[in-house]
Amino acid sequence: MTHAGNAVVTPDSEYAPTQGALGDATVSTDNARAAAEDSLEDYAFRYVPRTFRRWSAASVGATALGSIAFLADFSIGASIGIDHGTPNAVLGILFASVIILIVGVPVAYYAARYNLDLDLIARGSGFGYYGSIITTVIFAGFTCIFFALEGAIMAQGLQLATGMPLWIGYLISTVVVIPIVIYGMRALERLQFWTTPLWLALALLPLLWIVVSDPEAVRAFTSFTGNSDGSISFGAVVSSAAVCFALTPQLAEQIDYLRAMPPRTPSNARSWWTSFAFAGPGWVVFSGTKQVIGVFLAVYLLVRVEPGLGHHATEPVKQFVGMYQTLVPNWLAIVLAVVLIVVAQVKINVTNAYSGSLAWSNVFTRMAKHYPGRTIFVLFNLVIAYVLMMLDVFTLISFVLSLYANVVMAWLVTIATDIVINKRVLHISPRFPEFRRGMLHDWNPVGLVSVGLASVLSLLAFAGLLGAAVKPFSVLIAIGVAFVATPVMALATRGRYYLRRRSDGIDSPRFDEHGNPSGERLRCHVTGYTFERPDMLASAERGPRGEVQYVSSLALTLDDSDRYVLPPEVARPTHWATTRGRGA
């Protein structure tokens, strides 16, 4: 059996395409069926069905946590520690982590509960069917940038161990992930499961030994002033946090795993919530801890190992080699450091390449109404990342991430605010996530204006155009403007641009008795395959005897006409709390 799209393709005639079902479709039926039969397990523009979600909550959680092995955390922590000193850096990391956690809870919950990626959530959370393309491009850019940073770290390790030129190391770090990424979630789950214990042992055991055996190193860490005057400054704290905020899109990569969570029932509720907490919003706890460790390792190198190292102390290769050299012979220290770096780079960059390919394929398919296969977008994502490595993006890590953080926070705070305020408090946004074409307006000014306004104002501040005193606080401007503008725009538009229709024309409920998306299967009359109820709509085209036919969101995505789209409904009042279904 293969899982195709969210169709189930088996030799069983119940699920196989019906002969003659495709003859009158305006959709390119070969294209639609090819997308449905894609065995890459991507679900880039549709709901993840129950038939695919066979893992336990604990298994999904462990797999998702495996993706946070990235080494850029250590470099980010070291960079802000050297610039602002330990107290400011640690407070900045803590401040950013708390905000990211608050933003991440509602977004991750919607992903795990309703089995959708961040693009599908954004569609019904203020952006519209096509408007969410903007947010998806922002996320795709994140995967390229962080792939480049992690690939550069691996190349540095290979250069140290073998003398290999950096450009060859960049190439190796790029192509090594391709075989794993192509096979999707199953291959990623196995990789993350088997490599996580090795990564933890290599990274943490030597560090714990140094902390226990060398109290002077701990004292040097706590008193380190870096390039600052040693005082605690709110501006320095926020500047430190701004770099950390650029990591927030990691939430979207966690979501690409979380959307495979099993239905939440009374029997698995404890495991479900635990896995959600640690692998969803809780990823930032592990990330923040690694950033603090990065500060410690940089200070350890500068104070106890090689004082003249300067900003090279931000390189994880040198951090771990320096740590191992105090414990084992030099040759073994290099071997252990390279093993750690290669394992960590592969663990995170398969996720970067996987999530990036989903994002790019989502954007292209909706715009072109054509699905060329995810493999093309895996390669596209990797080419961009390789170019960034060749441009030496690693040496500009603080600047690039500080700049990027402004747009990132505008985007994610807008989605989180729509979920919490507009859906749950004001009841203007539809409470249950909607992503299907025909149910949504193409564009929603709520999210678009919020992200646009927050991004522009924060970038102007970042560039110093609003005054030198405001410049360090640009990311706070992005957060504050997005938080205020999202409900203001929803109230100003009275929610008119969220839903094009309130009924999808199907009588059966979208949710089961526990509030999970229904597992009922309906046949799509365009592709001929059966899809699960949450992914289906009634078709505007009646059957030969006047009966209601069903069409999948996949077929609608690839349709370059409105032949199957039900007409819009007359606008209703803005209170959406009575929307059908359960799912709290």
Side-chain angles (χ1 to χ4, degrees), residues 553-576:
S553 66
L554 172 63
L556 290 177
T557 296
L558 295 166
D559 179 22
D560 58 4
S561 74
D562 290 329
R563 177 174 179 177
Y564 308 109
V565 177
L566 292 171
E569 291 177 336
V570 177
R572 299 277 187 98
T574 58
H575 194 287
W576 301 100

Side-chain angles (χ1 to χ4, degrees), residues 63 76 100 148 173 275 295 337-338 384 403 431 476 485 508 530 541:
T63 302
I76 289 169
I100 293 172
S173 67
S275 297
V295 181
V338 171
I384 296 175
L403 173 67
R431 179 177 178 182
L476 297 187
S508 57
T530 58
E541 188 174 88

Side-chain angles (χ1 to χ4, degrees), residues 294-308:
V295 181
F296 176 84
L297 290 176
V299 174
Y300 183 73
L301 285 182
L302 294 174
V303 175
R304 308 289 287 174
V305 179
E306 190 174 345

Side-chain angles (χ1 to χ4, degrees), residues 76-304:
I76 289 169
S79 179
I80 62 178
I82 291 173
D83 286 342
H84 303 291
T86 295
N88 288 316
V90 171
L91 288 174
I93 292 167
L94 179 61
F95 176 64
S97 298
V98 170
I99 298 298
I100 293 172
L101 182 68
I102 293 171
V103 171
V105 168
V107 180
Y109 175 79
Y110 261 56
R113 184 63 163 150
Y114 301 114
N115 311 109
L116 306 173
D117 68 14
L118 192 52
D119 175 80
L120 270 60
I121 294 171
R123 294 182 192 181
S125 298
F127 290 91
Y129 181 75
Y130 288 112
S132 68
I133 287 175
I134 296 171
T135 69
T136 304
V137 169
I138 295 172
F139 172 58
F142 166 86
T143 67
C144 294
I145 291 171
F146 274 84
F147 190 106
L149 294 176
E150 293 294 326
I153 292 170
M154 179 173 172
Q156 292 164 3
L158 294 175
Q159 183 183 54
L160 178 67
T162 67
M164 180 184 297
L166 281 176
W167 73 268
I168 297 179
Y170 295 156
L171 187 61
I172 291 174
S173 67
T174 301
V175 301
V176 72
V177 304
I178 294 176
I180 302 170
V181 175
I182 283 178
Y183 289 99
M185 178 68 179
R186 287 196 181 107
L188 268 63
E189 188 268 341
R190 296 188 188 103
L191 171 77
Q192 302 293 15
F193 178 80
W194 289 109
T195 56
T196 295
L198 175 62
W199 182 88
L200 288 173
L202 288 173
L204 297 184
L205 292 180
L207 176 68
L208 292 175
W209 174 256
I210 288 175
V211 170
V212 171
S213 64
D214 191 354
E216 186 59 35
V218 177
R219 285 191 287 270
F221 162 70
T222 57
S223 61
F224 183 70
T225 60
N227 296 329
S228 72
D229 60 8
S231 63
I232 295 177
S233 160
F234 183 62
V237 170
V238 174
S239 295
S240 299
V243 182
C244 305
F245 277 128
L247 290 167
T248 312
Q250 177 63 31
L251 174 66
E253 296 196 350
Q254 300 302 116
I255 282 173
D256 278 334
Y257 292 105
L258 281 183
R259 62 199 180 119
M261 287 280 276
R264 192 186 77 200
T265 63
S267 62
N268 74 348
R270 179 176 296 179
S271 173
W272 194 97
W273 280 111
T274 301
S275 297
F276 162 78
F278 281 100
W283 73 269
V284 75
V285 175
F286 300 95
S287 177
T289 301
K290 287 160 57 189
Q291 290 165 45
V292 174
I293 292 173
V295 181
F296 176 84
L297 290 176
V299 174
Y300 183 73
L301 285 182
L302 294 174
V303 175
R304 308 289 287 174

Side-chain angles (χ1 to χ4, degrees), residues 13 19 81 99 113 115 149 245 264 341 350 369 371 406 472 501 510 513-514 519 523 536 543 571 579:
S13 61
Q19 296 297 319
I99 298 298
R113 184 63 163 150
N115 311 109
L149 294 176
F245 277 128
R264 192 186 77 200
I341 287 163
V350 293
K369 305 300 180 186
Y371 181 71
N406 295 287
R501 294 181 57 86
R510 289 178 65 192
E513 68 275 14
H514 299 299
R523 188 179 69 83
M536 299 292 286
T579 302

